[in-house]
């Protein structure tokens, strides 16, 4: 019954969003809600937000190769691998293709466990050296930089989603630093990527082990209503996480950006994000998650969100943003 009431109130709120947007945001809301679905979509992004010059790059995670707009050249493309079992020739070829088209590769390495014993202890006791060495040899083949993120969302507490997410922050840091010492290819740039929960800095491995900080940003209305009693904006959601990690003074990558809901809601929330990117001086990259999430990872209370982007609209946003830089 609780879930049914939540869904009813969420539906009412989402239906009310367009009216509230227009009342509070004037032309911006109308522009976001009534957009041209053609490839020639025209999008206005406030020039005021870009008075302060800031170089912001854009990337994509597109596992189904569904992005068709070749006119938008991504600066980065993101890949995920399970370090226990991935097709190395396919990943090598994909990295090669990314670099040949002038983009840079981000490799998210997921350290799934192969034993029932504690993962972090096994890592520092050399039980995963073969997996580490396999990745090291692959990356050393490339002359260009490969951005590597090991053990992302270690502070995850929404579900029991990852083997490496736990309250053992000391164990995580020891394992991270061990992997860093073994993954010694000279062309690696390291991304430390927590969820951005209040305790995330207890997992900080140390300044010398991190080149960039990665953060995920998602808008899932049902979740926001359950935990915050309202649908939060990009500025509020990212600003909260930004304040936690800015003390490290590292470039920040949004390595997962996703919005779930109606096309109108996705358009407005993404538009608001573009209007606020330049308010965060350490932000250097936004990677759009162009896919449905893994089934069931948000638990039984929420329908599996689809973060897929509207290509015409996003392409227009990016092109307009770059013209204003």
């Amino acid at each position: 019954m609780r879930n049914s009431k939540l869904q009813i109130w969420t539906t009412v709120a989402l239906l009310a969003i367009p009216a509230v947007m227009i009342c509070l945001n004037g032309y911006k809301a109308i522009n976001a809600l009534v957009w041209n679905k053609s490839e020639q979509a025209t999008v206005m992004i406030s020039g005021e937000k870009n008075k302060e010059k800031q170089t912001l790059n854009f990337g994509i995670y597109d596992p189904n190769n569904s992005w068709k707009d070749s006119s938008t050249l991504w600066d980065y493309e993101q890949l995920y691998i399970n370090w226990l079992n991935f097709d190395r020739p396919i990943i090598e070829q994909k990295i090669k293709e990314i670099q040949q088209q002038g983009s840079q590769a981000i490799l998210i390495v997921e350290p799934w466990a192969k034993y029932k014993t504690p993962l972090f202890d096994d890592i520092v006791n050399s039980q995963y050296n073969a997996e580490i060495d396999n990745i090291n040899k692959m990356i050393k083949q490339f002359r260009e930089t490969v951005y590597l993120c090991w053990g992302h969302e270690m502070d995850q507490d929404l579900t029991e989603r990852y083997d490496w997410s736990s309250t053992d922050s000391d164990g995580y840091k020891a394992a991270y630093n061990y992997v860093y010492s073994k993954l010694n290819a000279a062309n690696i740039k390291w991304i430390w990527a927590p969820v951005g929960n209040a305790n995330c800095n207890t997992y900080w491995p140390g300044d010398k082990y991190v080149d960039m900080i990665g953060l995920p940003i998602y808008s899932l209305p049902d979740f926001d209503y359950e935990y915050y009693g309202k649908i939060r904006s990009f500025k509020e959601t990212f600003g909260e996480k930004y304040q936690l990690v800015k003390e490290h003074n590292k470039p920040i990558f949004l390595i997962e950006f996703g919005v779930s809901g109606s096309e109108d809601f996705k358009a407005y929330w993404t538009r608001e994000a573009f209007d606020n990117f330049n308010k965060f001086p350490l932000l250097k990259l936004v990677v759009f998650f162009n896919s449905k999430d893994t089934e069931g990872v948000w638990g039984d209370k929420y329908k599996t969100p689809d973060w897929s982007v509207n290509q015409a609209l996003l392409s227009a946003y990016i092109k307009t943003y770059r013209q204003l830089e």
Side-chain angles (χ1 to χ4, degrees):
M1 179 65 70
R2 182 186 178 199
N3 290 342
S4 298
K5 289 181 178 179
L6 173 63
Q7 291 172 356
I8 291 170
W9 280 110
T10 302
T11 301
V12 171
L14 289 175
L15 290 172
I17 282 173
V20 175
M21 288 176 185
I22 293 172
C23 290
L24 296 179
N25 296 278
Y27 84 90
K28 293 181 184 180
I30 295 171
N31 184 294
L33 295 172
V34 189
W35 49 272
N36 183 349
K37 293 181 174 60
S38 72
E39 290 295 325
Q40 288 74 40
T42 300
V43 179
M44 293 179 64
I45 296 176
S46 173
E48 291 183 21
K49 306 297 188 284
N50 294 283
K51 282 182 178 178
E52 196 172 316
K53 291 293 183 180
Q54 177 175 331
T55 299
L56 183 62
N57 293 316
F58 297 100
I60 194 165
Y61 169 61
D62 188 29
N64 299 313
N65 297 312
S66 60
W67 186 270
K68 305 301 182 185
D69 183 7
S70 60
S71 64
T72 299
L73 176 64
W74 296 106
D75 303 296
Y76 291 76
E77 187 165 346
Q78 195 152 285
L79 308 171
Y80 291 74
I81 64 169
N82 176 344
W83 74 347
L84 297 180
N85 181 26
F86 68 97
D87 194 322
R88 182 169 151 182
I90 289 179
I91 297 299
E92 289 174 351
Q93 180 60 31
K94 185 61 178 177
I95 293 174
K96 182 179 179 180
E97 291 172 359
I98 291 170
Q99 294 181 346
Q100 285 178 340
Q101 69 184 15
S103 301
Q104 301 192 68
I106 298 176
L107 189 63
I108 310 293
V109 178
E110 298 185 330
W112 295 99
K114 62 181 176 181
Y115 309 112
K116 294 183 179 180
T117 45
L119 173 64
F120 299 147
D121 289 348
D122 286 343
I123 289 172
V124 298
N125 288 324
S126 305
Q127 297 302 304
Y128 289 86
N129 281 4
E131 285 74 20
I132 297 171
D133 188 53
N134 188 34
I135 295 169
N136 208 36
K137 288 178 179 178
M138 177 178 69
I139 294 176
K140 282 184 175 180
Q141 295 183 48
F142 300 98
R143 305 177 83 178
E144 300 291 332
T145 298
V146 173
Y147 292 80
L148 186 141
C149 175
W150 181 88
H152 69 305
E153 299 189 11
M154 75 300 295
D155 57 331
Q156 175 72 258
D157 63 359
L158 302 181
T159 60
E160 295 181 359
R161 183 167 185 174
Y162 301 125
D163 291 344
W164 57 94
S165 296
S166 77
T167 57
D168 184 10
S169 58
D170 288 338
Y172 171 83
K173 289 185 288 187
Y176 181 105
N177 295 349
Y178 180 86
V179 173
Y180 179 97
S181 71
K182 295 294 184 181
L183 271 176
N184 54 16
N187 58 329
I188 294 177
K189 291 287 187 183
W190 283 79
I191 303 171
W192 173 74
V195 171
N197 287 330
N199 66 335
C200 67
N201 284 317
T202 63
Y203 297 82
W204 176 250
D207 188 76
K208 74 175 185 178
Y209 301 102
V210 178
D211 297 301
M212 292 88 186
I213 294 172
L215 290 169
I217 290 293
Y218 290 109
S219 177
L220 179 59
D222 282 356
F223 177 83
D224 276 8
Y225 256 90
E226 172 83 2
Y227 281 84
Y228 304 107
K230 63 177 183 177
I231 298 174
R232 303 206 300 170
S233 67
F234 168 83
K235 183 180 178 182
E236 184 178 6
T237 303
F238 181 55
E240 184 179 88
K241 297 185 179 190
Y242 185 89
Q243 291 300 317
L244 289 171
V245 301
K246 72 175 185 178
E247 66 184 63
H248 302 300
N249 198 32
K250 299 284 187 179
I252 294 176
F253 287 4
L254 286 185
I255 59 170
E256 294 178 359
F257 179 105
V259 188
S260 182
S262 69
E263 288 299 317
D264 287 346
F265 178 73
K266 286 185 175 185
Y268 179 75
W269 207 88
T270 304
R271 160 64 190 279
E272 187 259 333
F274 271 86
D275 270 351
N276 283 282
F277 284 151
N278 279 15
K279 291 184 176 180
F280 303 97
L282 292 175
L283 180 60
K284 302 301 177 186
L285 169 67
V286 180
V287 178
F288 295 95
F289 197 97
N290 189 31
S291 179
K292 188 175 182 179
D293 212 330
T294 304
E295 195 69 37
V297 295
W298 285 81
D300 297 332
K301 291 191 295 185
Y302 309 109
K303 180 180 177 182
T304 301
D306 187 349
W307 313 112
S308 301
V309 302
N310 180 288
Q311 297 185 22
L313 185 65
L314 182 57
S315 180
Y317 279 160
I318 292 173
K319 290 173 185 176
T320 302
Y321 185 92
R322 284 172 171 166
Q323 290 169 1
L324 292 172
E325 283 187 312

